[in-house]
Amino acid sequence: MERIELDEAMLQGQAEIWRYLYSFADSMALKSAVELRIADIIHSNGGAATLSQIASCINDSLTSPNITTLARIMRLLVRRKIFTIHPPSDGGDPLYDLTHSSRWLLYDSEQTLVPMVLMENHPWQMAPWHYFSQCVKEGGVAFKKAHGCETWDLASGNPDFNKLFNDGLACTSKFITSAILSGYKQGFNSIGSLVDVGGGTGGLISEIVKVYPHIKGVNFDLPHVVSTAPAYNGVSHIGGDMFHAIPNTDAIIMKKP
């Protein structure tokens, strides 16, 4: 009996290793769904679409979409509950529907995680994960080992990475800002000026100033970050290094990425 239990435990342990070994497939399938705008296609089709309808809406001027590969991606994402599938009432092809999860993958939604999905799964961001064992042996920062420089240095010299990184952080600010404004009611009434330290492109401070227009808002971040920030009423963008100096103000706010 003990031998049987040991064998079952060993098989279960092997299954767990296989599960973790291939868990990267989930994030890659998620990224592909975002790049192909599958959630938007289903949404624009009235909330449900067949596989062929989804394929027909994937724009590629050079080749036709490979529906077999698309089916495999959708099968995995259905199993992970990103999408659902059900037979239509007329007996035709199965229909794919959005879920509460895939609604976060809509590009034009006010609350979307699309930029974060693209940022976190980009090769630039994935490469440092391959250096964890070296960090254990030698110390140091995984990102620097992968790219030869710190995150901010790469962003300052690479406009594409700078945009990818800033867009990823900005998208999370939108719904975090709602929580701050609803949970900290009247908390900003007595503040005349407020600086968001490490404020990225200014999404958080701009929403606070919009609700509390008496506040003089300052968005403070590294020069290469604020250089791409849009203009907001009541908000000044100032570039600098928070480890050296912070603009004078009544109060500061810092949001963890």
Side-chain angles (χ1 to χ4, degrees):
M1 185 66 180
E2 291 181 359
R3 179 62 185 178
I4 293 174
E5 290 177 351
L6 178 60
D7 289 344
E8 288 179 350
M10 287 295 291
L11 285 172
Q12 181 60 41
Q14 182 187 152
E16 288 297 306
I17 295 299
W18 283 111
R19 182 166 70 90
Y20 291 121
L21 180 62
Y22 285 104
S23 60
F24 72 90
D26 292 344
S27 58
M28 292 299 100
L30 185 67
K31 178 190 177 186
S32 68
V34 168
E35 292 174 330
L36 296 170
R37 295 178 177 255
I38 292 175
D40 289 278
I41 291 171
I42 295 173
H43 180 69
S44 64
N45 202 61
T50 65
L51 196 65
S52 59
Q53 288 173 328
I54 295 171
S56 67
C57 293
I58 294 175
N59 296 322
D60 190 328
S61 59
L62 299 177
T63 60
S64 298
N66 187 312
I67 200 162
T68 301
T69 302
L70 177 62
R72 290 172 177 168
I73 292 171
M74 294 303 293
R75 188 182 307 128
L76 175 58
L77 293 176
V78 166
R79 186 167 182 81
R80 296 296 182 258
K81 303 187 185 328
I82 304 299
F83 299 104
T84 61
I85 186 171
H86 63 85
S89 57
D90 60 5
D93 293 333
L95 292 167
Y96 291 92
D97 293 337
L98 298 178
T99 65
H100 291 301
S101 295
S102 49
R103 290 188 182 280
W104 287 94
L105 305 181
L106 294 169
Y107 272 74
D108 297 327
S109 173
E110 184 64 24
Q111 294 188 333
T112 178
L113 283 173
V114 164
M116 181 60 78
V117 171
L118 295 176
M119 186 264 281
E120 288 292 357
N121 290 288
H122 192 281
W124 285 326
Q125 289 289 81
M126 296 296 291
W129 293 90
H130 294 278
Y131 289 82
F132 271 21
S133 59
Q134 284 192 29
C135 289
V136 172
K137 294 177 181 179
E138 307 165 0
V141 179
F143 192 94
K144 189 172 183 179
K145 287 182 179 295
H147 299 292
C149 61
E150 300 284 0
T151 304
W152 316 116
D153 296 326
L154 180 61
S156 66
N158 186 322
D160 291 336
F161 179 72
N162 188 41
K163 184 177 188 317
L164 183 78
F165 191 82
N166 291 337
D167 288 350
L169 297 186
C171 81
T172 63
S173 287
K174 292 182 179 179
F175 43 90
I176 291 174
T177 302
S178 297
I180 291 173
L181 291 173
S182 62
Y184 196 52
K185 292 178 180 178
Q186 311 306 319
F188 296 101
N189 282 342
S190 61
I191 297 174
S193 58
L194 177 67
V195 58
D196 184 359
V197 178
T201 53
L204 172 59
I205 191 68
S206 68
E207 290 300 313
I208 292 174
V209 170
K210 190 182 298 183
V211 177
Y212 299 91
H214 70 278
I215 292 178
K216 178 183 177 181
V218 176
N219 177 49
F220 181 70
D221 211 315
L222 293 168
H224 70 268
V225 177
V226 298
S227 67
T228 64
Y232 297 107
N233 290 330
V235 175
S236 300
H237 296 293
I238 297 179
D241 187 338
M242 68 178 178
F243 296 108
H244 293 161
I246 295 174
N248 291 326
T249 185
D250 292 339
I252 67 172
I253 186 169
M254 296 182 71
K255 179 185 73 64
K256 183 179 178 181

